[in-house]
């Protein structure tokens, strides 16, 4: 049984997990379930919003809409 499984069972209301098991899971968790880290994002717009034409803005807005023909 993994620390994550123990935490999940506790969250689901399982009262059979002992304090000792819970404490052991807390200590072991960082070694078995590493934290996920975010990725840095270095994005910058190619042109300012004011530099887009009305047609370009309409095309961008349409591209973000779900396809209603399906």
């Amino acid at each position: 049984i993994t620390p994550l499984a123990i935490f999940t069972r506790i969250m689901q209301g399982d009262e059979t997990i002992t304090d000792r098991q819970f404490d052991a899971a807390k200590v072991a968790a960082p070694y078995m379930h590493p934290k996920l880290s975010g990725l840095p994002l270095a994005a910058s717009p190619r042109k300012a919003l004011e530099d887009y034409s009305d047609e370009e803005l309409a095309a961008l807005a349409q591209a973000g809409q779900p396809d209603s023909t399906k």
Side-chain angles (χ1 to χ4, degrees):
I1 188 166
T2 65
L4 186 57
I6 289 175
F7 299 148
T8 303
R9 286 173 53 184
I10 290 171
M11 288 176 16
Q12 293 171 340
D14 185 343
E15 296 180 5
T16 63
I17 303 296
T18 66
D19 289 340
R20 185 174 179 186
Q21 288 171 316
F22 179 70
D23 290 340
K26 284 193 299 187
V27 172
Y31 299 100
M32 297 181 72
H33 307 291
K35 290 183 179 180
L36 299 177
S37 62
L39 297 175
L41 179 61
S44 59
R46 293 187 182 167
K47 49 186 197 180
L49 187 59
E50 299 81 27
D51 296 335
Y52 284 95
S53 68
D54 290 339
E55 292 80 17
E56 290 173 311
L57 290 172
L60 288 171
Q62 186 63 33
Q65 299 296 318
D67 188 3
S68 61
T69 61
K70 291 183 179 178

